[in-house]
């Protein structure tokens, strides 16, 4: 294929029209006036040329099975990504679905005008299912064979058809005042392709989807505390969801709230992240897969350094403390204080006050010198870290070491039937002298339970999260490689057959989608109170019919009072819903969600 020549001024104008605002910031009125996002580019993000070469090289081992296939390319924009894929796959037909012809046709027209061009252009919106249906009805897929109901090929992978889409949006666009359009688009797009689109008659397809990097974390969470209903619905319809490229997670640890307060992101302990990455790095080395130095994320660099140093199968919990080690700084401050190199108080020591005039701790801290205040802070932090590391060591001893391979044998159960108490209760009782340990703060107890769940999710076979099932580390994407300056992530999604009896029709799919949303509303709650949404006493009635809930080998827990919603696998949720359908005392749909939710499986 002849090389395409794009006008450099045009590409630079697309790249820089929205300034350097961060992804979590909305465009102000000044931005809209200076950089007309909506009018000039329909608020869509685009990746530039240099980010595609490494992505195509990473995908090349799996793109070979799509050679001479049909490609449906939704929102190709200027066509840079489309041309790269076209050159690698050499498809028999490449359908460019782009509705903004006034903006992008100068870029797409050279592709259409090539000799014996296999490109076809459809001037329709790319994310509407009616557009997909019209492509099929217009006969633009003449090489695809339609499979009738009951044909076994409907539940088999079809590599002769590839779906490519760009769902990246800028700036944030609200829908129903709380959802971003990109979230709704990806979820509706992936689910509708299996439920309502005419493409379902062609079998199980592969999707390559670009979306904003901060939206990616809602669908491919890296810890179970971020595993919400959107990720669950995507798991129900996907055999695998892998991140090919994305922003470095370590670059965005904190989140700014509306009150301009910094809240630490919900990330799991670093030792578990490092162990998960060590698995992947070892597998990549065995398969001969390498990552360019400028595309390595921070976690991959740490994992490679650990593996190169001849580390053990499981990294020690000390690696959970990120950044510089504060122990050395604390020792230095203590030595300087003992030598009299700085004092405790600013000026003279305050005189002792009467009981009615005692200073609060905050007022007293204002009279400390900066060095002494820092030494006090490090002392509190050191006690806090040592306490948590002691708990982590205890959890490790109870569960046993995590195997170095993802396909590990049967996992061990944290809570055995002989000890019905939960994780925090067991630790509270565990003391060398046998005396009961003093109760600790609820926040620490919640952290300990969360760490135990995160460890079990990684220890199970297969791991609970799609993120821990990855075979390759994602490539590092830089913000300046996208226009506007807001990074995109590429997801590789392979469809799987839908659960029989759950998503067979639109009404049932709508009902169970809302049931999953209500079930995961409080992810750290036990499953008993959460299942009451299906009817009072649902766990007592349905639990015996779902043996995987109490089977540690299948991700369950013998003590259901300590089995939290975030640990539910899609197989368990499907078994619960199927058992609920046969429950003679199940409530009607109106009694569960009211009359606003369409579809009634009880009818």
């Amino acid at each position: 294929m002849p090389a395409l020549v794009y006008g450099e001024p045009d590409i630079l104008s697309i790249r820089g029209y929205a300034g350097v605002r961060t992804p979590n910031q909305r465009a102000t009125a000044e931005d809209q006036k200076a950089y007309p996002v909506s009018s000039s580019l329909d608020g869509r993000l685009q990746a530039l040329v240099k980010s595609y070469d490494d992505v195509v090289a990473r995908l090349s081992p799996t793109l070979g099975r799509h050679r001479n296939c049909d490609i449906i390319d939704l929102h190709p924009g200027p066509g840079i990504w489309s041309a790269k894929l076209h050159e690698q796959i050499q498809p028999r037909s490449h359908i460019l679905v782009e509705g903004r012809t006034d903006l992008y046709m100068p870029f797409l027209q050279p592709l259409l005008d090539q000799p014996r061009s296999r490109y076809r252009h459809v001037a329709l919106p790319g994310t509407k299912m009616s557009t997909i249906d019209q492509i099929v009805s217009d006969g633009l897929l003449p090489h695809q064979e339609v499979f009738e109901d009951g044909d076994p090929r409907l539940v088999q992978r079809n590599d002769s058809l590839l779906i490519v889409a760009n769902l990246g949006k800028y700036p944030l666009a609200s829908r129903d005042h709380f959802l971003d359009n990109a979230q709704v688009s990806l979820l509706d797009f992936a689910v509708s392709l299996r439920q309502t689109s005419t493409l379902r008659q062609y079998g199980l397809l592969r999707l390559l989807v670009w979306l904003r990097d901060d939206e990616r974390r809602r669908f491919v969470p890296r810890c179970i505390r971020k595993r919400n209903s959107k990720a669950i619905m995507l798991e129900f319809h996907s055999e695998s969801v892998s991140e090919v490229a994305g922003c470095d997670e370590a670059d965005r640890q904190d989140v700014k709230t509306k009150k301009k307060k910094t809240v630490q992101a919900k990330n799991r302990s670093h030792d578990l992240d490092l162990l998960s990455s060590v698995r992947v790095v070892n597998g990549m080395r065995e398969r001969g897969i390498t990552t360019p130095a400028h595309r390595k994320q921070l976690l991959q660099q740490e994992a490679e350094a650990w593996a190169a140093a001849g580390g053990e199968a499981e990294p020690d919990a000390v690696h959970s403390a990120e950044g510089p080690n504060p122990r050395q700084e604390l020792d230095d401050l203590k030595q300087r204080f003992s030598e009299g190199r700085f004092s405790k108080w600013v000026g003279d020591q305050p005189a002792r006050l009467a009981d009615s005039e005692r200073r609060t701790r905050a007022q007293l801290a204002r009279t400390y010198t900066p060095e002494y205040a820092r030494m006090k802070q490090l002392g509190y932090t050191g006690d806090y870290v040592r306490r948590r590391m002691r708990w982590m060591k205890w959890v490790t001893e109870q569960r046993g070491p995590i195997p170095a391979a993802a396909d590990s044998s049967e996992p061990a159960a944290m809570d055995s039937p002989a000890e019905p108490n939960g994780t925090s209760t067991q630790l509270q009782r565990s003391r060398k002298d046998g005396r009961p340990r003093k109760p600790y703060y609820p926040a620490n107890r919640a952290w300990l339970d969360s760490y135990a769940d995160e460890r079990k999710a990684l220890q199970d076979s297969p791991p609970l999260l799609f993120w821990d099932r990855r075979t390759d580390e994602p490539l590092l994407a830089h913000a300046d490689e996208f226009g506007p300056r807001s990074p995109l992530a590429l997801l590789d999604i392979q469809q799987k057959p839908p659960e029989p009896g759950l998503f067979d029709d639109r009404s049932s799919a709508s009902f169970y989608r809302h049931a999953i949303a209500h079930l995961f509303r409080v992810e750290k709650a036990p499953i008993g109170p959460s299942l009451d949404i299906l009817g009072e006493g649902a766990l007592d009635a349905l639990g015996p019919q779902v043996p995987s809930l109490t089977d540690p080998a299948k991700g369950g827990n013998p003590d259901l009072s300590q089995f939290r919603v975030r640990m539910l696998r899609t197989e368990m949720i499907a078994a619960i819903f199927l058992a609920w359908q046969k429950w003679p005392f199940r409530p009607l749909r109106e009694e569960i969600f009211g009359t606003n939710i369409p579809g009634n499986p009880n009818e």
Side-chain angles (χ1 to χ4, degrees), residues 369-380:
T369 59
E371 295 84 357
Y372 187 83
R374 176 62 176 169
M375 186 176 66
K376 294 276 289 185
Q377 179 187 6
L378 290 176
Y380 293 142

Side-chain angles (χ1 to χ4, degrees), residues 391-597:
W391 296 343
M392 292 161 62
K393 181 180 179 181
W394 183 86
V395 173
T396 303
E397 293 174 351
Q398 293 292 318
R399 288 198 180 278
I402 298 179
D407 52 348
S408 60
S409 58
E410 178 177 322
M414 179 66 190
D415 303 314
S416 62
E419 178 56 64
N421 297 294
T423 303
S424 57
T425 308
Q426 290 185 40
L427 181 60
Q428 185 171 330
R429 293 181 175 180
S430 64
R431 190 169 179 176
K432 291 182 178 180
D433 56 7
R435 293 183 298 171
R437 184 185 296 273
K438 293 182 179 180
Y440 44 87
Y441 294 110
N444 294 336
R445 183 167 60 249
W447 179 90
L448 176 62
D449 291 340
S450 175
Y451 179 79
D453 286 347
E454 295 281 4
R455 188 177 182 86
K456 176 173 172 52
L458 180 61
Q459 189 177 23
D460 286 348
S461 177
L464 179 61
L465 300 177
F466 273 135
W467 166 249
D468 292 326
R469 303 180 197 176
R470 68 193 186 279
T471 58
D472 300 328
E473 286 289 350
L475 301 173
L476 176 60
H478 303 279
D480 57 358
E481 295 178 324
F482 304 91
R485 186 183 167 87
S486 181
L488 288 173
L490 178 62
L491 296 186
D492 187 354
I493 304 173
Q494 177 62 54
Q495 294 180 337
K496 76 173 183 179
E499 295 291 338
L502 294 185
F503 305 102
D504 296 339
D505 54 76
R506 186 185 295 270
S507 61
S508 297
S510 176
F511 176 82
Y512 289 118
R513 179 172 175 176
H514 284 83
I516 291 173
H518 280 264
L519 183 63
F520 278 81
R521 180 171 293 179
V522 183
E523 45 83 18
K524 62 182 178 181
I527 63 172
S530 301
L531 285 179
D532 285 343
I533 187 65
L534 300 177
E536 187 175 356
L539 179 61
D540 297 333
L542 306 178
Q545 304 181 46
V546 188
S548 59
L549 290 176
T550 56
D551 188 356
K554 298 181 180 179
N557 193 324
D559 186 4
L560 293 181
S561 64
Q562 296 297 322
F563 191 47
R564 285 163 280 275
V565 172
R566 59 195 177 196
M567 299 299 292
L568 284 172
R569 292 178 175 266
T570 54
E571 297 82 5
M572 298 178 182
I573 300 175
I576 291 173
F577 287 159
L578 292 176
W580 179 82
Q581 293 178 0
K582 302 177 182 178
W583 189 24
F585 303 103
R586 70 180 185 273
L588 297 175
R589 185 267 314 215
E590 290 80 2
E591 297 175 325
I592 298 179
F593 295 121
T595 58
N596 295 327
I597 305 302

Side-chain angles (χ1 to χ4, degrees), residues 162-424:
L162 178 64
I163 309 298
V164 182
N166 179 9
L167 303 181
K169 292 289 184 178
Y170 184 93
L172 290 175
S174 298
R175 175 174 173 177
D176 299 334
H177 305 287
F178 66 94
L179 284 178
D180 186 18
N181 276 332
Q183 302 178 36
V184 181
S185 297
L186 177 60
L187 189 58
D188 289 345
F189 179 71
V191 173
S192 298
L193 282 179
R194 287 301 308 160
Q195 294 179 359
T196 61
S197 171
T198 54
L199 290 181
R200 69 183 184 276
Q201 62 189 350
Y202 297 131
L204 306 179
L205 307 179
R206 182 184 183 183
L207 288 69
L208 296 177
V209 182
W210 288 95
L211 74 162
R212 289 178 10 155
D213 188 77
D214 53 340
E215 299 299 335
R216 176 265 309 162
R217 285 188 273 179
R218 290 176 171 87
F219 297 99
V220 189
R222 298 188 178 185
C223 66
I224 59 173
R225 287 182 291 174
K226 295 181 182 179
R227 189 169 176 256
N228 53 20
S229 59
K230 300 181 185 66
I232 294 297
M233 285 300 299
L234 196 60
E235 290 178 17
F236 262 109
H237 295 82
S238 306
E239 179 182 353
S240 64
V241 180
S242 58
E243 179 187 349
V244 182
C247 182
D248 199 337
E249 190 80 6
D251 291 341
R252 292 199 226 152
Q253 293 288 342
D254 302 328
V255 178
K256 293 288 186 179
T257 63
K258 293 182 179 180
K259 296 182 180 180
K260 298 182 179 180
K261 293 183 178 180
T262 301
V263 179
Q264 188 174 6
K266 294 181 178 180
N267 297 320
R268 64 183 178 185
S269 183
H270 188 61
D271 65 312
L272 300 180
D273 284 333
L274 187 58
L275 174 59
S276 177
S277 183
V278 167
R279 285 178 172 180
V280 180
V281 168
N282 291 336
M284 293 175 62
R285 183 176 63 251
E286 293 175 358
R287 292 181 287 114
I289 304 298
T290 59
T291 303
H294 65 287
R295 294 296 180 191
K296 291 183 180 180
Q297 296 192 2
L298 181 60
L299 185 61
Q300 181 179 357
Q301 298 177 22
E302 295 179 0
E304 291 179 347
W306 172 264
E312 300 176 356
E314 182 173 356
D316 191 79
V318 71
H319 291 276
S320 62
E322 300 181 15
N325 186 4
R327 185 185 301 274
Q328 184 64 37
E329 183 181 359
L330 178 60
D331 294 340
D332 293 342
L333 288 173
K334 286 182 177 180
Q335 183 178 359
R336 291 172 56 194
F337 182 70
S338 62
E339 296 174 354
R341 299 172 62 179
F342 65 87
S343 61
K344 178 178 181 179
W345 309 102
V346 176
D348 297 333
Q349 180 175 351
R352 182 178 180 84
L353 303 177
D355 292 341
S356 60
E357 300 177 352
R358 284 192 179 277
R359 299 171 183 259
T360 64
R361 178 178 296 181
Q363 292 173 336
L364 191 62
R366 296 192 189 101
T367 63
Y368 290 154
T369 59
E371 295 84 357
Y372 187 83
R374 176 62 176 169
M375 186 176 66
K376 294 276 289 185
Q377 179 187 6
L378 290 176
Y380 293 142
T381 303
D383 295 340
Y384 176 75
V385 170
R386 283 191 295 271
R387 183 168 60 250
R388 283 201 169 182
M389 289 181 61
R390 185 170 62 251
W391 296 343
M392 292 161 62
K393 181 180 179 181
W394 183 86
V395 173
T396 303
E397 293 174 351
Q398 293 292 318
R399 288 198 180 278
I402 298 179
D407 52 348
S408 60
S409 58
E410 178 177 322
M414 179 66 190
D415 303 314
S416 62
E419 178 56 64
N421 297 294
T423 303
S424 57

Side-chain angles (χ1 to χ4, degrees), residues 152-165:
R153 290 175 293 180
L154 279 174
V155 294
Q156 296 177 3
R157 193 177 70 187
N158 181 8
D159 293 333
S160 64
L161 182 58
L162 178 64
I163 309 298
V164 182

